[in-house]
Amino acid sequence: MRRAPIFIMKINKFKIHLGLLFIIAVILPSFLLSGIAIRTIAREEAFLEKRLEESLQAETNHVAAVIRTELNQILLELDNVSLRVQSQDSPATQASLFKKQTKLAQIPFFISSQREILWPSSRHIKSYAEHFFLEWVTDFFMDRETTPVYQNIALAYKDKILEDAPDLNTLEHNNEKDNTRQQSRNKTNAFSKFSRGQQQLAKNIGDQYAPAYLSQNEPIRQQVYQTAKQSGQQVMKRQVSPSKSISFKQSLITEEQTDSMFIADQLNFSEVIKDSPNGLIPFIVKEKLNLLFWRKNPDRSIVGCLLDQDIVISRFIKILPPIYSDVRILTVLDENVKPIIKADTNKTRDWKRPFVAAEISELLPRWEVVALLTEPDQISLKAQTTGLYLWILIFILLFSIIGGGSMVLRSLNSEIRLAQQKTTFAANVSHELKTPLTSIRMFTEMLLDRRQPDEKKQQQYLRIMLSETERLTRLINNVLDFSSTGKRKKTYQLKEINIVELCRSILDAQQMRLEFHGFEVTFSSVADDIRTQGDEEALKQVVLNLLSNAEKYSDEIKNIVISITTKDQFVCINIKDRGIGIAHQHARLIFDEFYRVDDSLTTKKRGTGLGLTIAQRIVGQHNGQIIYMPHQGGGSVFQIQLPIIREE
Ligand code: ADP
């Protein structure tokens, strides 16, 4: 008998282990996996965006480089033409020759060594263009006016930038090892320790390296721009601010204008042409960018021309890659943020907010190569929906893992509970059988030994024995019923019975025994004859089960009231006790098979956990029901409701 509690303790320990196992083997890994999956998604999205940005940035940079090459080509062509037109002819003839040789030249000009403008001459002016041209450039050519001349800040401050650059310092360091004699460490010029060839190489590397380093390194960038401003150079603001982001929300953050790569010095004509034999000068008149070609002759006279901007642009257009691809629209924006080739779509585009952009050249200030995403909304929507699908998938997986796991755990739990209940059931049945048997045996012995000469008492003993046998029968019936009703529906011998009569007869049989055990039993009914359709034996078993529970679960106050009332079409048999009662959380479970309230008060009493289950089944098959209500002031009330047969 002592084995049951040890078994229950083991089961409880096992349940705790199972719970821990569930957390460690199912919940933790699934949360961990979801975490990893979510992080991977976020990273993947960022990575894809970065890749798209990098590839489009590379493309815009490449296009900018191609345009720079084209500008060099234009310079070269104009230089050749200007050489060829040198003759003893008059400036007018030379000018028309110049124009004939190249479409690029819109207005050729000639300046004498004494800085006299020989052509266009005010006396021969034919067009408005020439007139305006003279108006714009005369003061400049005479050094009476300056113009902003642009320079790449990264190249202008290359030394300052490279002082900081770690990679180039490594280059310098390696070189130092080879050439141990050169010990001086002059940081202001990063190339001073190189041999001439090496210096050229380092200069080339530096020319490529400095702009990249400047654009990546924010502190040095700020320093360099600050220095440029302090030394009176004008730092331009770029006209576009690349968003570098697909999603709309993020692109709003980087609204502020960025500094241009180009800084401007105000120079007069002599200063501009000082250091080189030829060149191009950009100058903006009335918001329009013009390019001026010039070349110095050995006799210090100057030949040049105003470039035909339309021709220049058409040459750029020829070398541009196709404007459309599936992903992007790539175009060049001029000084007024207008695309030089328009996208043939009705959609208005915010050219100032491209995905990526690249400044082109100091000769084309404010010009930018820009790439816009063809369908940014769709890309971001696509990304969002893909993200959403993945999220949903993760959640479904997470829920199914945890849900499935907990279902397995629950079924395991109920299996364990069933096993536990079955074990206690076997122990309890034998004990329940033993109690009435002991009682019967005791009274039989007493009667056999004739220890009680009083005939009345003998009668009483016999009645108690009868009631104990009824209890035994009920118990055996419960067990038999349970095993048979589980498999097939039991068929009842239904007939019209007087339920008041039935209850009274049950009580008559039990009263003596109950009173013998100290119970006060009362019976009342609203009528003497209330009829219902039922199986007498089965209904008797129901009432006995409830009566036996009232007896079993009464503690100090041993009071049982059986009252019969009617409600609508039903007769209600109420069995009230003043016993230990049933806590709210157990009340809805007591009709489940094998269920027994697991507390110190109940476990003292033996039971099978089947009494109420069987009672409920029987009443259910009689079209009625049993309900439980707590008894006010302590105890329980069980009400059996059965349909009444009314006489017509
Ligand atoms: P048992 O054989 O354990 O009595 P039952 O199915 O008859 O099985 O009852 C199920 C559980 O309901 C009991 O274990 C007990 O905890 C509770 N119960 C039933 N009747 C009463 C009552 N009258 N007072 C208190 N608890 C009761």
Side-chain angles (χ1 to χ4, degrees), residues 428 432 545-546 548-554 575 577 579-582 589-592 594-599 602 605-614 628 635-638:
N428 288 347
E432 282 229 68
N545 276 0
L546 298 184
S548 156
N549 277 353
E551 179 193 349
K552 205 160 43 169
Y553 300 110
S554 286
I575 297 158
D577 65 62
I580 57 174
I582 301 167
L589 298 169
I590 50 173
F591 293 97
D592 292 354
F594 296 119
Y595 191 85
R596 305 203 69 228
V597 175
D598 190 13
D599 64 21
T602 325
K605 318 278 175 180
R606 292 293 176 153
T608 55
L610 290 178
L612 289 179
T613 316
I614 287 161
Y628 164 78
S636 314
V637 181
F638 281 90

Side-chain angles (χ1 to χ4, degrees), residues 323-324 329 331 339-347 349 351:
I323 177 163
Y324 275 117
I329 298 169
T331 190
I340 61 169
I341 339 174
K342 270 246 172 70
D344 55 347
T345 158
N346 298 329
K347 221 172 172 180
R349 306 258 177 198
W351 298 110

Side-chain angles (χ1 to χ4, degrees), residues 100-119:
K100 250 186 226 156
Q101 296 261 337
T102 174
K103 280 187 194 161
L104 282 164
Q106 190 188 358
I107 304 171
F109 65 82
F110 299 97
I111 303 169
S112 75
S113 48
Q114 281 79 39
R115 284 293 171 87
E116 234 183 295
I117 299 174
L118 303 175
W119 190 265

